[in-house]
Structure formats: structure tokens, C-alpha cells
């Protein structure tokens, strides 16, 4: 069980999911009421006859109940960062700005340690709340402007979700160990172009690579066998480079 | 440093990468010779004037030098499995068949333990070679047919890269803890359709979801600002479900 | 000027478009009122100060004001049919069912003649209304079930937007000249699979090809340079074959 | 029959296509020899037993045998221009530079008249050769630099496949009738950005829209039901605007 207090997930066959946080009373859904007496069962039925499966939440269940403010970095993009950099359980990662902490939380579940920098007080608060929800002891959140420097040295990955990351290249460079990755999450190609130009002028970042990642969900049910009709078609571009 | 013996990465500014395995002699590339006397430097120049940056390999560098036989599961798809299931450093994962071990190695870098099942002897051999290269002590490879059962219980994720995974659903079900994910990697939608039908008949797998993931690389250099012209447009579909 | 009665298009700089059908009175928009005295000008300003450009409608302007019932075939898919079959101004085309007539209208603007079959009376009515709006004299709409046969012979293209086109293959075959294309618009791959199987059993259709077509719109404005965030990600698959 | 001299198409069941230009002698393929005595049949077999279907070429068959030099505009992009502008058989179109004439030929098959401008002599020659092959009498090719002006007035569409189309905006504007479309085919977003900026400064072009179009081909055969593995992932961006 992750997080501080015991919780229960209630899931329908077709994927409607509820996170039950207070186990001392019945849980009300728009599919009817789940009795607190059923919380310890594998399967139960609401008073209106809807079937639910119950289990202790996995990390992903708690992740989905994270508080979000402003735009968050989605798992598809966080995972793409892992795919390209292959950080793992021995890695130390720095990210800035943390925002609601979706990227940092995703990485803290995988890496040895994540240190987040955030200059905006309200986001520090939200990120800390999310950290508590997820019970991630290896995720440190600093209320500091990353422009003023990264305290850590020899880290394996620095990720910036900043509007003008080219202003903090010295900072990233100083924190990274040789061979390690520097990644920027950038919604616009104007930002990508500027960043790549600035990186290209330097001698300490090489192997610059820009990607975007798409996820397409399919409907597979009886005669249906087709992609979903509407979807998210853009979040951001990811620019990778290696510190040498 | 991962792996058994010390190695060095030599990387050009534009991303040409070499893994130097024998540090006792000069290294020959088609960009000229890197002198063994330069291996400990940050930067060096070949006898023909090409500049290289040198550093101790990260996991990703060793991963790229893995031996591959037949079709492998690419990092973009392995990462999509992590994105959807959010397995992490506390997770225990079973995969079958292991093939060259690209998925298993990717997950072993992230998870507590990976146990691979493989019925084909030649792939067991290749996967073990790759495990040695990567120095992954938490990756166990079993020369066993997964159809005959999974020894482990209460695991957090089972991934099948099998042509007919619907024949092994009981096996997967028995190994998974409640709430955990069962994932199949399937090149064809005929397979997806069959699997989803079989899962739908059962009471122990719910929340069935099918996705595909694309990666698009961009060229960003001076006046160039465009996607690459040709790319991989299909690897496989990923079918997710949760054991309840 | 297309269509029966004179109309005027009013277009803002950023692409808000209105089709003014009654030129005898002022036109009300949520950007203010366009005075009827301005209809003959190139440019005018509403009473609330919004600038509009005015011109005689092109075919595309009338097309956008077509009445639509149920799902329509979008220009991206109609154009893909033209791209693959290269029908042109000498071509005779048959389509069924006509639906609201979006495909037929698109093709009638290009081809010599389009003959539409439709069994549902309400759609015949809508399609005829749209034909009148567009003033397409070369588009014939028949209230007939295509299953009972196509009257025309030696046509250059037959397009079916039918749920079970495999029931009408003899019909299509009889109408097509040798070398001509038979195209089916199919939302689901289960339909595609069935159709391709049925076509494969026959000796009169060869060169079977299945495609899907995507359109991605970009935002290009000052610092914005990115794809739109959300979009249509699926309409239908197009199956092509040639009558021999 | 299009083109000057009689030709025959020979097509295998799975889509291998040959255009037979000289009907006075046997035709050699790597599937064996098609006897000239079979040219008038519907179906024949080569001396090595391969079955071919024979028919008079359609426009698309001749189009596929066009000579190509440098990069050509593919039908998917030409069709996207038709989808957005809805030019048809009453439309007069100007394009520059013509290149090998793939776009112009595509449009000439649809439109009333196409006038092409091309400054490079060798491309004028190739385009004229292609025009003769296709027998398109309504396609005029001018060996003139479009920068020096377009002779035609009141045209329905101007398409530029030029590296710096922003240098010819006055030219395009002068040729177009009000409400008509101006389209640029641009491989790079740096070009798109520059063009959109220049168009935005003017009062005679509005409704600026940038798109890209993808085509994905599917394999549908027995157990295969999947997209092709590799494909073209980028050709160019299309920028649309309307002359007011």
C-alpha cells in the first residue's frame, strides 16, 4: 500500500474507477452505494445492482487521484523521457518547475531520488500534497528558483518544464554528470528552435534530439474495431541532449 | 558503471556513438582512430581530425549495444507499458517470451525484479548474454514454457509477447496480485480482437484497454524544422487489463 | 456564382465565416450587424466595429453550409478517394448510400456526372436540398436500394458507404468498366476484414488496398508554432480495388 | 484512352502493374513474357505461368508512369489542396514552380485549365513530356519566372511550390479573384512561420490555415491486420489563405 492512510479502489468491469479514502463509511457513486461492509471483499454490488471489484490501490490508482493545477505532464511524455534516457532505480533526477508534480511523481516511483525546484509557492503546496498522497519519501520539493542554481551535483537527469529553458543551461550543465541527459518539455517549436540553437553554440551538450510522442486508443468490442474518434493530438515536444 | 568490464562511450557532437569495450588498444572508427591514451580524457580528436567526447557508459549506452535476434520490443513500447501500469522500483514483473530481452532489460532497470520465461533455447542464450552485458542482477531468465505455469505469485505485472496469449490466461491470472496489470504485445489486430474477446468472457480481468504508441523525430537545424521523412509507423498494439 | 440565388460570404481576418442568404436585409452576427448597404463592398465594419471581408461565395463556402444529418464523409476522405482513383472531369461516378450527400457533392464538383443511390427517404430529401443549394446539375439522386442493381454501366468509380458492402459486390462489378475503381468507406476494421476476404474470393476485383488518412492542423501565430491540442483522430478506413 | 498512343495496363491480382507502351511486340516482365497476342484479352498468363489482367489505362495508370525529377508533390498533398479549396471542373488554376508537374497534372485532370510557371528549363522539358504522356490539353506550361508576374487574372487558385513564396505575394494577389485560395507547399516550418508572418501583415489575404496530411496503409490478409511497418511520415506543410 502506497500513501499514508489505507484506501480501497472500486473498479467496474468496463473501467469506471473510484478511490475510497474513508473506510469508516459507505461510499456513494452515481452507480449506487458501496457498503462499508463490502470493502474487504473481492467483488460487491451496489444497492442499485452495479458490480464493483475492490482491491488495495496500486501506485497508478493514487497517481490518477493527484490534484492538478494548470497543464500537467502526462504519463506518455514522462515515459518517453524514461525511454530515451533510461533512468532507473539507481538514478538521481532534478526537475524544474515542478508544477503539480506529475512528472516528478512518475519519476520518483522509478528513480532513487527526485529533487524538484519550483519558484511558485502555490505549486510547491500542490506538489507536496500530491507527494503525501503518493507516499513518495524519495521526492524532495524545494521552493527555489532553478535559475539561481541547482544544489545537487553529478545527477543523472535534469528535466526542465520552463518557458525559457535556454536561460538555465549553465545551471543544468553544472548539475549533470558526464554522459547524463538534459531534457526540455516544450509546447511550441519556436521554443524548440531557440533551445536547439543555444545548445548548439555550447561545447558541453551534444547529441541533440527532438521528438514528439502520440498515443492512440482503440475500441475493441464486438463489431467495433477502430481507433477512438477524438483524441489529444499534441502536448509538447521533448528535446534531449547529453552533457559531455 | 553497469556491466562486468569497464567500457568507454565515444560520442560525436551530432550523435554518432561508439562503445569501446577493450581499453587496452586504440579504437578504430570510420571517422579515424581514437588513441587509447585519450580514453580517460573528456574530449579527444581522431588521427583524421574528428572530435569525440568520452565518458563512462550509462545504462542506455549498454542497452543500445545489446544483441538482437528477431523482432525486439522497442523502448517506446516498453515505456508505454510503464506509463499505463506505473510499475516502479518496488514492482516484481514476469515476462514471456523473453526474445532478445529488450523489454525485460528495460523493466529490470526500473523494477525490483524481473523474471523472464522463454521456451526457445537460442533466445535464452541471447537474453543471458544481454543480461551479462548490462550487469542486471535482478533479472532472472528461466528456460521454461510459460504455458506450464508461472512459479511466482503476487506479482505486479505480467507481460506476454506471445503469438497466442489467450492460451495462457489462467497462468497469468494465477501469478498476478489483485489490482495488478496483465499486458499483451500484439502486432496484429486479429490477435487483439481474439484476446479481448477471451478476456471479456472471464471474471478475473477487467478494465481492458488497447493502445498504440508513435514516436516522431524532428530535424531542427538552421533552416530545417520538420519531421523526419521516413519512420517506423507500426510495431504492435498493447492490450492492458487488470486482475481482480 | 453557384446555387440558385445570389448569396454573399462575410469573412473575418481570422476566418470566422458567414453565408448571407437574404441580401434584402441587414445581417446579424454575434460580432455585430453587417448593413445591407455594405454587401457590395470588399470590406465593411459592423456596428460594433468588427471588420468583415465580403465576396461572392465559392463552391467551398456553399459546401460548408450544407445540411448534415447523421455522420457525413469529410472532404479529407473524399479527397483521398480522388487521390487514389484520380477520377476527374471526364469521369462518371456512382455512390450509395448518399447520406447527406457530402461525398457526392464533393465529387460532382469534380466529375462529369455523379449518380447517387439511397434507400432512406429522409436522406434523399436532404441530399436533394443540398444539391439545390450547390446548384449541381450533374448530380442525380435516385431513391432506390443499390442492392437491387445499378442502372448505369461502364462507370469509372463506384463508392459504397454501406454497413455491409460485401452484399453488393455483383452490383458494383456489373456497373464498373474494366480498370475502374471500387471504393468502400468503412468505420470499422471488422468490416474491412470481411470486405477484403469477400473481394479476395472473386476474380473480378484485384489490387485491394486499405488506407486511412489524417489531417493535422497547426497553430502558427507569433510565438505559437504547434499542432492543435485536440482533433478528430478517426473517421473511417477506405478500401480500394480495381474491376478487371 | 488518355495520352497520344494506345497503351495497355497489365495488372497482377496483388497489384503489380506494368504499362505496355508498344503493342507491336511481346512484353517482358520479371514474372515472364506477356504475348502481344494476349493484349486484347481480359486475362492472360505469362510463359512462366503468372496471371495478368489487361485493360486500357485510366488516368491514374498514366500518372504513375510520369517521369520524376527531384522531389514531387504526391497525390495525398494535391488532394488535400482540392479538399480545402474545392476547386473543380470550372476552376482555373496557376501553379509555380511546376517541377515534374505532379501537382499540375493532378489538378489538370480535375480543373478547367491549369497554367504552370517554371523558371528552370530542364523542368519545363520534363513537365511537357509528362503532359504529352497524359494527353492533358488544358495544361499550359510557361517557361517564365513567376516573380515577374502572372499573366492570368481572376483565377480560382494559385499554388506555389517555391522555397521563398513570401517574395511573390503581390504576384499571387494580383492573379486571384476575390474569395479565391492561395496555397503554399512548404517542407519546413521555418518557411511556414515566415510566410504566415508576411501574410499577416497584409490586408489582402485572410483565413490563414496550416495543415499536414498523412496516409497510413494497412495490411489486410488472412491473419494480418495491421498498419505497414515503415512509411513516409513527412512531405510538406500546406498553408492556405484566401484573397479578399
Amino acid at each position: 500500500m502506497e500513501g499514508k492512510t489505507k484506501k480501497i479502489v472500486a473498479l467496474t468491469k468496463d473501467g469506471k474507477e473510484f478511490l475510497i479514502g474513508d473506510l469508516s463509511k459507505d461510499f456513494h457513486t452515481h452507480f449506487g452505494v458501496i457498503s462499508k461492509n463490502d470493502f474487504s471483499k473481492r467483488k460487491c454490488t451496489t444497492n442499485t445492482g452495479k458490480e464493483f471489484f475492490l482491491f488495495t490501490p496500486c501506485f497508478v490508482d493514487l497517481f490518477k487521484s493527484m490534484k492538478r493545477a494548470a497543464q500537467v505532464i502526462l504519463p506518455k511524455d514522462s515515459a518517453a523521457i524514461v525511454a530515451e534516457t533510461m533512468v532507473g532505480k539507481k538514478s538521481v533526477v532534478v526537475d524544474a518547475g515542478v508544477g503539480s508534480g506529475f512528472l516528478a511523481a512518475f519519476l520518483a516511483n522509478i528513480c532513487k531520488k527526485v529533487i524538484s525546484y519550483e519558484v511558485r509557492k502555490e505549486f510547491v503546496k500542490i506538489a507536496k500534497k500530491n507527494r503525501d498522497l503518493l507516499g513518495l519519501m524519495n521526492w524532495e520539493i524545494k521552493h527555489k528558483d532553478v535559475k539561481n542554481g541547482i544544489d545537487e551535483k553529478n545527477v543523472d537527469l535534469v528535466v526542465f518544464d520552463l518557458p525559457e529553458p535556454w536561460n538555465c543551461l549553465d545551471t543544468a550543465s553544472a548539475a549533470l554528470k558526464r554522459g547524463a541527459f538534459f531534457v526540455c518539455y516544450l509546447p511550441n517549436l519556436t521554443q524548440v528552435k531557440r533551445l536547439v540553437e543555444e545548445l548548439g553554440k555550447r561545447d558541453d551538450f551534444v547529441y541533440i534530439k527532438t521528438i514528439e510522442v502520440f498515443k492512440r486508443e482503440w475500441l475493441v468490442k464486438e463489431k467495433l474495431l477502430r481507433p477512438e474518434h477524438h483524441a489529444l493530438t499534441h502536448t509538447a515536444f521533448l528535446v534531449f541532449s547529453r552533457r559531455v
Side-chain angles (χ1 to χ4, degrees), chain A residues 9 11 35 47 67 90 100 125 129 172 215-216 230:
Chain A
V9 172
L11 186 65
S35 164
N47 63 329
K67 196 179 144 113
K90 296 178 189 163
S100 307
K125 214 174 139 187
K129 211 164 203 162
K215 188 175 99 172
R216 198 187 196 195
H230 292 87

Side-chain angles (χ1 to χ4, degrees), chain A residues 13 61 93 175 234:
Chain A
K13 180 133 196 170
D61 301 302
V93 178
H234 177 66

Side-chain angles (χ1 to χ4, degrees), chain A residues 9 11 15 26 42 44-45 59-60 66 76 83 86 92 94 102 109-110 112 122 135 152 158 166 173 183 214 218-219:
Chain A
V9 172
L11 186 65
D26 294 349
R42 173 179 168 264
C44 73
T45 307
F59 183 80
V60 71
M66 279 172 78
K76 75 161 182 85
M86 294 211 189
V92 176
V94 167
F102 275 57
N109 186 45
I110 288 170
K112 188 178 166 193
E122 68 277 23
E152 294 72 24
V158 168
W166 45 86
S173 182
V183 181
F214 311 91
W218 281 74
L219 271 79

Side-chain angles (χ1 to χ4, degrees), chain A residues 84-205:
Chain A
E84 296 289 324
T85 65
M86 294 211 189
V87 287
K89 56 189 171 170
K90 296 178 189 163
S91 309
V92 176
V93 178
V94 167
D95 88 313
V98 77
S100 307
F102 275 57
L103 170 65
F106 186 91
L107 293 175
N109 186 45
I110 288 170
C111 298
K112 188 178 166 193
K113 187 156 175 66
V114 175
I115 306 100
S116 295
Y117 286 74
E118 176 59 68
V119 71
R120 298 161 298 175
K121 208 175 180 179
E122 68 277 23
F123 281 107
V124 171
K125 214 174 139 187
I126 292 166
K128 286 189 174 172
K129 211 164 203 162
N130 282 330
R131 182 183 59 185
D132 289 350
L133 166 75
L134 297 166
L136 289 164
M137 310 300 289
N138 62 331
W139 174 17
E140 190 179 347
I141 300 163
K142 298 186 176 181
H143 184 200
K144 280 186 174 180
D145 191 340
V146 80
K147 276 181 205 156
N148 301 333
I150 293 172
D151 306 327
E152 294 72 24
K153 298 288 162 213
N154 222 31
V155 306
D156 300 289
L157 171 64
V158 168
V159 187
F160 283 168
D161 174 15
L162 301 170
E164 301 190 337
W166 45 86
N167 292 331
C168 307
L169 299 185
D170 286 338
T171 305
S173 182
L176 285 161
K177 80 170 182 199
R178 274 169 52 208
F181 282 86
F182 171 52
V183 181
C184 292
Y185 176 93
L186 297 166
N188 281 289
L189 280 169
T190 41
Q191 296 168 295
V192 169
K193 190 166 169 46
R194 174 75 187 275
L195 174 65
V196 171
E197 278 165 9
E198 297 294 337
L199 288 171
K201 290 174 190 166
R202 301 174 66 109
D203 191 37
D204 52 352
F205 289 108

Side-chain angles (χ1 to χ4, degrees), chain A residues 203-221:
Chain A
D203 191 37
D204 52 352
F205 289 108
V206 302
Y207 193 15
I208 302 165
K209 185 176 172 180
T210 303
I211 66 166
E212 55 177 333
V213 166
F214 311 91
K215 188 175 99 172
R216 198 187 196 195
E217 199 167 331
W218 281 74
L219 271 79
V220 184
K221 201 176 180 180

